Amino acid sequence: MKFDYLIIGQGLAGTLLVHALKKRGKSCMVLDNPEQPKASEVAAGVINPVVFRRLTKSWLIDELSPQLLSTYAELEHEFGTRLFYPLQIKKVLGKGENEFWRKKVADDKLQNYLLQEPEPISSPYIEAPFGVGTVIQSGRVDLSQLIESMRQQLQSENSIQFEKVAWNKLTLQENRVIYQDLEAQKVIFCEGHAVSQNPFFKNLQFKHTKGEVLRIKTTTYNENFILNKAMFLMPEGEQYYRLGATYDWNDLSTSPQDHARIELTEKLSTFFTGTYEVVDHQAGIRPTTHDRRPVLGLHPQYPELGIFNGLGSKGTMLGPYFARQFARFLCDEDQTIQPEVNINRYFPERKQSR
């Protein structure tokens, strides 16, 4: 069976790249390892256009924002289901942070993303004596629904197989790759943190992080915004909320840990007084590079192999923009890959070839 591209992995990166390539009339076969946990199925999918630590705009947000809105709208139309939920983020402010918030919004011209004036919060279950700062153009993407909808579509088209790829069974020839009974022009690896074991990408410097999240149910609290104070409390509907997330660079297992649950619930107790029960606890490994930038492009030595990975904790924002950029590159529409994300940053002595 011949295809234009073999896509290895159907998490967020693989899903968005398939969408971008199919828009350009390209055929894709996806090989997805059903035994590999996906960070995308654990992640909350928060879209936050600012970095709270420095109160600055997220990297490239002015370019990312229109692309993510159009991409998720296209996918909602294609799948006939809702994926994107606009939600304001309310940042709980500490003593003295009100004036800092006002000044940063004015000086850095952040009015497109932040309300300049902090405001009180009306919920009796939130302790915020110094008010909250409000983020706009924010929200969440239902990543589980996105991935499942794409999986169902691919199954209906006989364009996905569930298996672990054996790298030593890939046969590379000029302008084509053969894997078992499949043939394609190129193979693109979108395999999340499993890329660390991929022998073709040993030069890449990954620094994966484990993240744990809780799902809670509360019958007292009922607010339709994302609350943030060194963590997030995000509504999912029907009295359910997502609480997260932790960051661990040492334990890269996918098993939830009690200490992470305690860390999250203790942080929540510093500003939240509502009653709740924990109904689920999940862990995932964010695919993250050493410089916290995605990595995409074709292997300089093996141009039949490509990679789209490293979306990290900002994946719902970065993914649509860079999936489109990479698809345009692969389809000869535009040969631009931004230097900050180009695979060539790990192969400085080589020139990108196609």
Side-chain angles (χ1 to χ4, degrees):
M1 295 187 288
K2 294 185 178 182
F3 298 87
D4 293 315
Y5 298 97
L6 293 183
I7 308 295
I8 312 301
Q10 199 246 315
L12 176 62
T15 294
L16 292 174
L17 185 59
V18 166
H19 171 69
L21 288 169
K22 288 175 68 175
K23 277 187 63 178
R24 288 158 176 78
K26 301 301 181 180
S27 59
C28 300
M29 169 60 78
V30 177
L31 302 180
D32 188 62
N33 181 2
E35 298 179 359
Q36 180 190 325
K38 294 178 175 60
S40 308
E41 295 178 333
V42 176
V46 174
I47 290 176
N48 182 0
V50 298
V51 178
F52 282 134
R53 188 171 59 254
R54 301 184 299 274
L55 204 58
T56 56
K57 289 194 292 186
S58 288
W59 179 60
L60 286 181
I61 187 58
D62 293 337
E63 291 80 11
L64 300 179
S65 186
Q67 185 61 50
L68 71 89
L69 291 174
S70 64
T71 295
Y72 293 127
E74 290 169 1
L75 288 163
E76 286 181 329
H77 178 75
E78 185 174 334
F79 298 143
T81 188
R82 190 173 183 187
L83 300 171
F84 175 63
Y85 295 80
L87 294 169
Q88 290 186 343
I89 300 175
K90 305 287 188 179
K91 168 69 172 171
V92 177
L93 300 176
K95 185 177 181 179
E97 289 185 331
N98 305 60
E99 190 55 39
F100 174 74
W101 182 280
R102 292 188 188 96
K103 182 174 173 52
K104 286 287 288 185
V105 174
D107 292 351
D108 295 350
K109 297 179 173 57
L110 300 177
Q111 292 87 348
N112 286 342
Y113 303 105
L114 303 176
L115 297 185
Q116 184 164 353
E117 286 299 318
E119 55 189 358
I121 199 160
S122 59
S123 173
Y125 303 106
I126 301 172
E127 294 182 350
F130 305 104
V132 296
T134 301
V135 183
I136 53 179
Q137 293 201 43
S138 50
R140 75 174 180 97
V141 176
D142 189 336
L143 294 178
S144 295
Q145 183 63 59
L146 169 63
I147 292 168
E148 178 60 27
S149 296
M150 177 61 82
R151 183 180 296 127
Q152 290 178 8
Q153 183 186 83
L154 292 170
Q155 286 180 295
S156 71
E157 298 169 348
N158 294 319
S159 296
I160 188 169
Q161 295 180 8
F162 299 101
E163 61 180 279
K164 181 179 180 180
V165 171
W167 296 298
N168 61 350
K169 293 184 180 180
L170 280 169
T171 301
L172 307 184
Q173 299 178 357
E174 187 173 359
N175 297 321
R176 70 171 184 167
V177 180
I178 298 173
Y179 182 74
Q180 297 179 351
D181 61 342
L182 304 173
E183 179 181 326
Q185 296 173 19
K186 298 184 188 300
V187 175
I188 311 297
F189 290 93
C190 307
E191 52 195 336
H193 73 277
V195 70
S196 295
Q197 284 75 53
N198 190 317
F200 296 109
F201 298 103
K202 292 181 179 179
N203 276 45
L204 278 60
Q205 300 171 34
F206 283 97
K207 191 176 181 181
H208 304 310
T209 56
K210 180 177 182 177
E212 301 194 39
V213 296
L214 304 179
R215 195 174 192 228
I216 67 173
K217 183 176 184 180
T218 173
T219 57
T220 56
Y221 179 72
N222 184 27
E223 300 290 348
N224 194 36
F225 53 75
I226 301 171
L227 195 62
N228 183 286
K229 186 182 178 183
M231 57 177 295
F232 63 80
L233 181 65
M234 184 189 75
E236 292 188 316
E238 299 181 349
Q239 301 177 321
Y240 289 97
Y241 290 78
R242 190 74 68 93
L243 176 63
T246 62
Y247 286 81
D248 190 332
W249 288 266
N250 299 312
D251 173 18
L252 295 184
S253 72
T254 55
S255 301
Q257 300 296 316
D258 285 340
H259 68 81
R261 173 182 54 79
I262 293 170
E263 175 187 340
L264 291 170
T265 54
E266 285 185 347
K267 284 184 178 180
L268 183 63
S269 69
T270 63
F271 62 91
F272 181 76
T273 60
T275 58
Y276 65 90
E277 62 174 322
V278 177
V279 297
D280 196 14
H281 182 184
Q282 295 178 298
I285 310 301
R286 305 177 186 92
T288 312
T289 61
H290 79 289
D291 54 8
R292 298 188 180 184
R293 297 288 185 253
V295 57
L296 54 134
L298 300 178
H299 195 293
Q301 185 177 353
Y302 308 106
E304 293 77 27
L305 303 180
I307 188 170
F308 183 43
N309 208 314
L311 295 178
S313 60
K314 298 278 190 178
T316 48
M317 296 163 53
L318 296 167
Y321 180 84
F322 285 112
R324 179 177 181 270
Q325 185 172 114
F326 195 20
R328 287 170 62 85
F329 174 85
L330 292 170
C331 298
D332 288 319
E333 295 176 14
D334 185 344
Q335 290 305 287
T336 301
I337 294 181
Q338 291 178 229
E340 299 98 324
V341 303
N342 199 317
I343 190 176
N344 282 353
R345 71 191 193 270
Y346 296 109
F347 299 87
E349 73 283 1
R350 292 181 179 273
K351 183 178 179 181
Q352 180 87 30
S353 57
R354 299 192 70 258

